Amino acid sequence: MTTQATLPIDDTQRGSGARTHRRKKAAPSPERVNWPATTILVLCAVTVLLPLYVTVSMAFKTQGQAVDGNAFSLPAPFSIDGFVQAWTLTNFPVGAAMSLLVTAGTVLATIVLAAFASYAIVRNWERRFFRYSFFYLLGAMFIPFPVVALPQIQLTGHLGLDNPFGVILLATMFQLSFSVLLFTAFLRSIPLELEESARIDGATTWQTFWKLIFPLLAPMSATVGIFAFLYAWNDFMMPSLIISDPALQTLPVRQNLFQTQFSNNYHVSFASYLMAMAPAIVAYLFTQRWVMAGVTQGAVKG
Amino acid sequence: MSSISTSSTSSTSSTSSASSTSSTSATSSPASQRKAGRPLRSRRRVEPIFYFFLVPSLVLFTLAITVPGIIGIFFSFTDSIGIGDWDLIGITNYIAIFSDPAILQSYLFTFGFSIVTVIAVNLVAFLLAVGLTARIRMKTALRTVFVIPMVVSGIIIAYVFNFLFSNSLPAAGAAAGIPWLENSLLANPDLAWIAVVLVTAWQAVPGALLIYIAGLLAVPEDVYEAAGIDGAGKFQQLTKITLPLVAGYVVINVILGFKGFLNAFDIIVGLTNGGPGTSTRSIAMTVIAGFNGGDYAYQMANATIFFVVAILISLLQLSLTRGRNAL
């Protein structure tokens, strides 16, 4: 359980050496491709891509073409009018800044707080206070957000936290249980001798944590960070309830504008949807190996 | 897989041994504790910095989750509307909830929807995982595509599907001459839940898929070779070898999925907003509506019941996964 490679995400990591062994034995057609399976999977992939294709093609249409009823046609002529209008209607720069703030804040706070707490818990496990704290923090895994949402709305209102900072606080706390569970499991596998050698060299606990423990936690931090990112960037429910000023809303919440007003300007709404979704998709395409490994790791452990 | 179970068993055993030591010292009198407890206690004093590491999380967690939870449970026994005066009214809210058709309907819908979605997601994800671990072309590209729904925002993709269900699908139905498709799926109180299931499943499949791929790749290939030599066909290999070996992953996926679907909110808001009428209103939506509807205390009672249900499901999860690790 020390590295991500424990959980295979593709065939290159498939264990037991059976694969190379098989190659040597030279089956009649070693590269026999399963074409029926390939075909079926490609067709399935189309159902995944179709809504995304419609989003992109609608976004680049003119208003006239967007309302003609054929969602699957290619844009002709190509128009960026939708993006221009969506940019100002949703006040995209502010929305994007709020989403970025909430996401970056949640990811950083989750990683740092969970790593701090997990380190303290694992190194003082024999103390009742730390042991009970672990089970206390884990408790939130059993509490769905809707259960505590109403009092939280009131409380954040009273404390002046009915803004993106309140969302960062709440989102971090809901991510904390799961993250502490992942970090503590990982920390238990790090031998104490490693730390003791650092201490003999005169390092304080603070230095040991930042110079030794935190770098070792990197793969788990990636997993924790990916989950926090996906949650914070895409969530609608929490920001829509907690942030009281519409001007400070995150991108997903801003999209409800098109359900009430401008509901027939499809090219504008789809351009707006695309701008809100694209950052996460692009980030995923560049980091997909880590995302897949991280999610697999997190889901199986959690 | 073996590494997971060993690590978790070892952690549980260390938990139990550590807690038994502490409980002995806790039950003994202070005087004897000083004698018997000294070797344990004086082994190492807790450095203050560890409190600095842990206490902020505890304080924020208490403020953000525990306190609201206690406030909520307390107010479920009152007649508060969220602001102003209130009186304690005992379990009146709870009695009323059990005879409230709107609430019962939201539970019925949420559970029915969750069960159907869990089955659909796991069926599709498992078959896709079998396909994606077979000898196919474009493996990496296909895998990349299938995971995309996981990273898109639920509410936004629901808006996109909302457009497809209300405009494109009826148009296609009219063109193909299928009468029941000519009207929007979302406008039909009896069929709107199907749309909710489809979109939720569309987004939930990747998570389950990745877990199944990990499970399938953990099965060594020589097992299949041996089965093939013994004359087992492809289908027999799937049902007699693959399924039993990934049973643990099925349990994980079913429970993780079910817990998530019970909280359904974003996708339903974007797709039907609970309609037509209240036919697709989830528990979460009913609770949240209490904030605007003036029945704050009443919905807090509802939320408390929901909390108990969530705990029961989590306990079921613990007992099931513990059983899996013991195997």
Side-chain angles (χ1 to χ4, degrees):
Chain A
M1 228 33 247
T2 47
T3 59
Q4 301 225 348
T6 333
L7 291 161
I9 59 158
D10 62 38
D11 288 11
T12 53
Q13 296 167 356
R14 191 162 194 157
S16 80
R19 197 177 170 78
T20 43
H21 184 60
R22 191 194 183 100
R23 282 267 165 77
K24 272 181 204 152
K25 263 202 290 186
S29 51
E31 287 303 318
R32 197 168 33 125
V33 174
N34 189 338
W35 283 110
T38 310
T39 318
I40 294 168
L41 285 169
V42 168
L43 289 176
C44 292
V46 170
T47 65
V48 171
L49 290 176
L50 204 63
L52 301 173
Y53 161 74
V54 169
T55 311
V56 176
S57 84
M58 288 294 285
F60 284 103
K61 287 176 182 175
T62 59
Q63 182 166 12
Q65 202 197 352
V67 295
D68 73 356
N70 186 353
F72 305 105
S73 59
L74 280 166
F78 211 71
S79 155
I80 57 158
D81 180 50
F83 290 95
V84 174
Q85 286 195 47
W87 185 277
T88 48
L89 269 180
T90 62
N91 204 348
F92 181 80
V94 178
M98 291 305 151
S99 273
L100 267 179
L101 172 69
V102 167
T103 308
T106 307
V107 169
L108 282 178
T110 306
I111 292 177
V112 171
L113 283 179
F116 272 176
S118 305
Y119 182 54
I121 287 168
V122 169
R123 283 295 163 262
N124 297 285
W125 186 251
E126 75 277 4
R127 308 267 160 178
R128 212 176 309 153
F129 173 71
F130 290 90
R131 207 161 53 237
Y132 288 177
S133 298
F134 173 70
F135 295 115
Y136 176 61
L137 292 177
L138 234 56
M141 295 227 294
F142 309 114
I143 305 175
F145 172 60
V147 167
V148 282
L150 299 191
Q152 278 175 339
I153 297 169
Q154 288 190 313
L155 212 61
T156 49
H158 286 310
L159 296 175
L161 281 171
D162 49 347
N163 53 40
F165 293 104
V167 175
I168 293 176
L169 171 68
L170 293 181
T172 303
M173 289 307 123
F174 275 105
Q175 292 288 311
L176 201 62
S177 311
F178 171 70
S179 311
V180 164
L181 189 68
L182 290 181
F183 276 134
T184 47
F186 191 89
L187 277 167
R188 286 198 178 99
S189 71
I190 296 178
L192 206 60
E193 288 78 20
L194 214 56
E195 269 177 68
E196 273 158 8
S197 66
R199 287 182 190 271
I200 289 165
D201 293 344
T204 62
T205 305
W206 178 256
Q207 287 166 332
T208 312
F209 177 82
W210 284 112
K211 298 240 168 84
L212 183 73
I213 301 296
F214 197 66
L216 281 173
L217 282 177
M220 271 302 157
S221 300
T223 298
V224 164
I226 287 162
F227 274 93
F229 175 91
L230 291 178
Y231 175 62
W233 181 266
N234 291 327
D235 189 35
F236 167 81
M237 188 181 192
M238 190 184 284
S240 73
L241 293 170
I242 299 296
I243 300 176
S244 58
D245 182 356
L248 300 178
Q249 271 306 352
T250 59
L251 283 177
V253 184
R254 279 168 196 255
Q255 311 307 322
N256 63 14
L257 179 75
F258 302 104
Q259 301 304 304
T260 47
Q261 313 158 53
F262 319 107
S263 52
N264 281 322
N265 293 3
Y266 292 126
H267 66 310
V268 184
S269 52
F270 278 89
S272 182
Y273 302 157
L274 184 58
M275 286 195 289
M277 286 196 289
I281 297 179
V282 171
Y284 157 69
L285 291 177
F286 279 106
T287 57
Q288 46 165 314
R289 265 196 81 82
W290 296 294
V291 174
M292 287 187 199
V295 169
T296 311
Q297 177 103 333
V300 173
K301 278 255 66 153
Chain B
M1 199 50 229
S2 60
S3 66
I4 296 172
S5 44
T6 38
S7 80
S8 57
T9 20
S10 71
S11 74
T12 10
S13 65
S14 72
T15 313
S16 56
S17 68
S19 58
S20 64
T21 349
S22 84
S23 61
T24 21
S25 68
T27 45
S28 51
S29 69
S32 68
Q33 190 189 353
R34 192 170 291 167
K35 272 182 196 164
R38 175 154 287 175
L40 183 76
R41 290 288 144 131
S42 61
R43 195 172 59 203
R44 184 163 56 86
R45 284 186 54 199
V46 180
E47 283 181 66
I49 193 162
F50 283 119
Y51 291 106
F52 169 78
F53 278 154
L54 181 59
V55 170
S57 289
L58 292 179
V59 170
L60 292 174
F61 186 88
T62 305
L63 185 73
I65 294 177
T66 315
V67 170
I70 292 169
I71 293 177
I73 293 173
F74 175 78
F75 275 102
S76 72
F77 297 104
T78 69
D79 61 357
S80 168
I81 55 163
I83 46 163
D85 295 337
W86 47 265
D87 288 308
L88 279 169
I89 55 167
I91 58 164
T92 315
N93 287 326
Y94 289 90
I95 295 169
I97 278 173
F98 283 103
S99 54
D100 182 338
I103 302 238
L104 294 180
Q105 196 203 4
S106 75
Y107 273 82
L108 207 66
F109 165 75
T110 309
F111 274 83
F113 147 81
S114 300
I115 291 168
V116 174
T117 313
V118 155
I119 295 171
V121 164
N122 281 282
L123 223 85
V124 173
F126 180 75
L127 292 176
L128 284 179
V130 169
L132 284 171
T133 48
R135 288 161 195 283
I136 54 157
R137 279 287 158 87
M138 298 181 290
K139 194 176 275 189
T140 317
L142 281 168
R143 211 170 280 186
T144 306
V145 169
F146 282 120
V147 177
I148 290 176
M150 195 176 66
V151 303
V152 302
S153 166
I155 183 113
I156 297 178
I157 208 63
Y159 287 145
V160 172
F161 271 104
N162 186 339
F163 172 83
L164 291 175
F165 283 132
S166 7
N167 299 335
S168 305
L169 203 60
I178 309 168
W180 64 272
L181 262 183
E182 283 176 36
N183 291 315
S184 169
L185 208 58
L186 302 176
N188 187 329
D190 298 322
L191 299 178
W193 66 272
I194 297 176
V196 177
V197 169
L198 284 176
V199 179
T200 309
W202 187 85
Q203 200 179 29
V205 162
L209 174 67
L210 287 176
I211 297 176
Y212 280 134
I213 289 178
L216 289 174
L217 289 180
V219 179
E221 249 182 74
D222 30 11
V223 178
Y224 293 104
E225 256 177 73
I229 290 164
D230 288 346
K234 281 277 171 220
F235 185 73
Q236 264 190 311
Q237 290 183 15
L238 188 71
T239 53
K240 296 268 165 66
I241 297 174
T242 312
L243 268 178
L245 283 176
V246 298
Y249 293 84
V250 179
V251 173
I252 296 178
N253 271 337
V254 165
I255 290 175
L256 280 183
F258 195 73
K259 273 169 86 174
F261 301 146
L262 282 184
N263 295 330
F265 187 84
D266 288 13
I267 286 177
I268 304 182
V269 168
L271 212 51
T272 64
N273 208 5
T278 55
S279 55
T280 57
R281 250 170 83 153
S282 67
I283 303 171
M285 291 179 76
T286 321
V287 171
I288 299 304
F291 198 62
N292 304 318
D295 41 354
Y296 173 79
Y298 184 60
Q299 290 306 340
M300 278 325 303
N302 187 12
T304 308
I305 294 174
F306 185 39
F307 175 48
V308 173
V309 171
I311 286 193
L312 290 178
I313 291 168
S314 299
L315 289 178
L316 184 74
Q317 168 188 22
L318 283 180
S319 65
L320 282 175
T321 45
R322 195 161 288 172
R324 179 179 62 84
N325 280 340
L327 283 174

